[in-house]
């Protein structure tokens, strides 16, 4: 547990997760009690410990930044099972889909500056990004649809055999990273999941 002034924040002794996100977390972990009753008894550290135990994860880190600028960093599990080393808040973690938030914020900043348009077809960028031409309905997709997951594109990570291939490659090379072109090629070959702007469906392909 790390904190700027190395003091326990009493606000963390009660974790209010009565909203939709908290309900999802509780349901996913299989907690049978009402969310408010369960979460209010658990400290933030205990929540992370529960994730590690119930999900079989090796380790997890988390952080909370308060409105007054105070920071609370937490860790649970192990960063090195063979050495028995506990996870540390300073350990580097795979950021995962947090990057989507940054990408969307950057795109909207460019929209605000008048450099790109939300409702203009992304096909205008085919010169720099030729793979756009391979996308189902690629000539009709807009940036707004991409950012809102309303392109109708299939999520390449759920195509047949993708996860097995990724695990195999990552097993050979821990630094393995699939290229954008690889993901687009897989999604394009899989065909559309729906017509553009008709269904909101989360897909890594959009980002």
């Amino acid at each position: 547990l790390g904190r700027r002034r190395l003091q326990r924040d009493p606000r963390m002794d009660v974790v209010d997760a009565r909203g939709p996100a908290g309900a999802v977390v509780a349901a996913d972990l299989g907690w049978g009690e009402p969310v408010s009753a369960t979460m209010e008894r658990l400290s933030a550290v205990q929540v992370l410990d529960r994730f590690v135990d119930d999900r079989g994860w090796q380790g997890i880190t988390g952080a909370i930044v308060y409105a007054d600028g105070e920071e609370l960093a937490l860790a649970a599990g192990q960063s090195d099972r063979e050495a028995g080393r506990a996870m540390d808040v300073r350990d580097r973690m795979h950021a995962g889909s947090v990057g989507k938030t940054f990408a969307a914020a950057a795109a909207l900043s460019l929209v605000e500056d008048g450099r790109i348009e939300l409702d203009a077809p992304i096909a205008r960028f085919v010169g720099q990004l030729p793979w756009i031409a391979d996308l189902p309905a690629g000539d009709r997709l807009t940036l707004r649809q991409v950012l809102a997951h309303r392109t109708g594109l299939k999520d390449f990570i759920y195509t047949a055999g993708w996860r097995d291939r990724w695990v195999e490659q990552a097993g050979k090379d821990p630094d393995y990273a699939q290229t954008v072109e690889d993901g687009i090629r897989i999604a394009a070959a899989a065909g559309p999941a729906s017509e553009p702007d008709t269904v909101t469906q989360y897909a890594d392909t959009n980002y």
Side-chain angles (χ1 to χ4, degrees), residues 18-115:
R18 285 168 285 193
V24 170
V25 168
D28 192 42
L29 289 176
W31 295 341
E33 303 172 53
V35 174
S36 57
T38 301
M39 296 295 284
E40 286 175 357
R41 288 204 309 273
L42 298 176
S43 70
V45 175
Q46 288 173 318
V47 170
L48 293 191
D49 284 337
R50 190 78 178 265
F51 263 107
V52 171
D53 292 340
D54 290 2
R55 303 292 289 272
W57 291 350
Q58 178 170 325
I60 185 173
T61 59
I64 299 171
V65 180
Y66 298 108
D68 60 8
E70 288 282 340
E71 298 176 1
L72 181 68
L74 312 105
Q78 296 180 313
S79 61
D80 189 329
R81 283 175 172 166
E82 293 183 359
R85 191 171 83 84
M87 184 69 73
D88 189 276
V89 296
R90 293 162 295 188
D91 287 331
R92 297 179 65 181
M93 306 288 283
H94 179 58
S97 290
V98 171
K100 292 182 175 65
T101 306
F102 301 138
L108 292 176
S109 294
L110 293 174
V111 170
E112 189 174 52
D113 292 342
R115 298 175 62 181

Side-chain angles (χ1 to χ4, degrees), residues 114-125:
R115 298 175 62 181
I116 57 178
E117 299 176 40
L118 272 176
D119 296 307
I122 62 172
R124 62 181 292 195
F125 299 109

Side-chain angles (χ1 to χ4, degrees), residues 151 166 189:
T151 59
W166 188 88

Side-chain angles (χ1 to χ4, degrees), residues 6 10 24 32 44 59 66 72 92 109 111 121 128 147 153-154 167 174-175 184-185:
L6 300 179
V24 170
Y66 298 108
L72 181 68
R92 297 179 65 181
S109 294
V111 170
Q128 299 106 301
L147 296 178
L153 297 173
K154 285 187 177 177
V167 170
D175 294 322
I184 293 297
R185 176 180 52 77

